[in-house]
Amino acid sequence: MKAKAAKVFFNYAGFQIGWFLLVLTQSAWAIFWALGFAVVHALLEGNRREWQATLPIMVFGLLTDLLWHLSQAVQFHGTGQPVPLWLVGLWLMFPLTLNHSLAWLKGRLSLQVILGVFGGGGSYVAGAQFGAATLTPFGLIAVPLAWGLWLPLFYWWIDRLNHSHPTQVTAS
């Protein structure tokens, strides 16, 4: 049990450190933290089914942020086109927390919505405060509300895969 708790802690800490590193520096080099996080995750926790569940979430997140960016609701700053590399790093890391440090949200729809609005949406607001993005008044409202839908959608997707395959997506 201690090993599992340590893995959850490192998943949480690795993501939080990565979030601050990526958002505060907005550096293309910070992508190496995200890549390292993903590699360590794959070595410690990853299984093929988990990657099958999280890769579509990574792509969805990047495409959605690209749409926010193109709509002018959120303007992301930093190196990279069509979205900054630091944002790619965040979408590489975040889905890898869903089955681990955020696993306590599974089956808790109201908490998923609340954490989506305030946690997911709030991270965009915080990123804007740190200079990584600019949000229009529409973006300040729309992004948190969208996250209130997306986080439950992500857990629905993972749960759907869990029920369609005899091997669980979550690592024990």
Side-chain angles (χ1 to χ4, degrees), residues 14-24 90 93 123 126-127 130:
F15 176 77
Q16 294 302 319
I17 292 167
W19 188 92
F20 280 102
L21 180 65
L22 289 160
V23 170
L24 290 176
L90 287 179
M93 293 188 318
S123 71
F130 288 130

Side-chain angles (χ1 to χ4, degrees), residues 49-113:
R49 295 237 190 261
E50 181 176 22
W51 287 97
Q52 288 173 338
T54 56
L55 283 173
I57 295 170
M58 292 172 185
V59 171
F60 172 86
L62 278 172
L63 290 176
T64 303
D65 277 346
L66 175 61
L67 291 175
W68 286 124
H69 187 70
L70 293 174
S71 76
Q72 304 292 316
V74 182
Q75 287 300 295
F76 299 104
H77 309 296
T79 305
Q81 290 296 325
V83 294
L85 288 176
W86 65 265
L87 191 60
V88 173
L90 287 179
W91 279 108
L92 178 61
M93 293 188 318
F94 172 72
L96 298 176
T97 66
L98 295 171
N99 284 319
H100 302 283
S101 57
L102 293 178
W104 58 274
L105 285 170
K106 289 180 185 178
R108 297 178 170 166
L109 181 60
S110 52
L111 287 176
Q112 292 169 10
V113 171

Side-chain angles (χ1 to χ4, degrees), residues 111-122 143-149 151-152:
L111 287 176
Q112 292 169 10
V113 171
I114 291 167
L115 190 64
V117 169
F118 293 103
V143 171
L145 291 178
W147 265 95
L149 298 173
L151 194 56

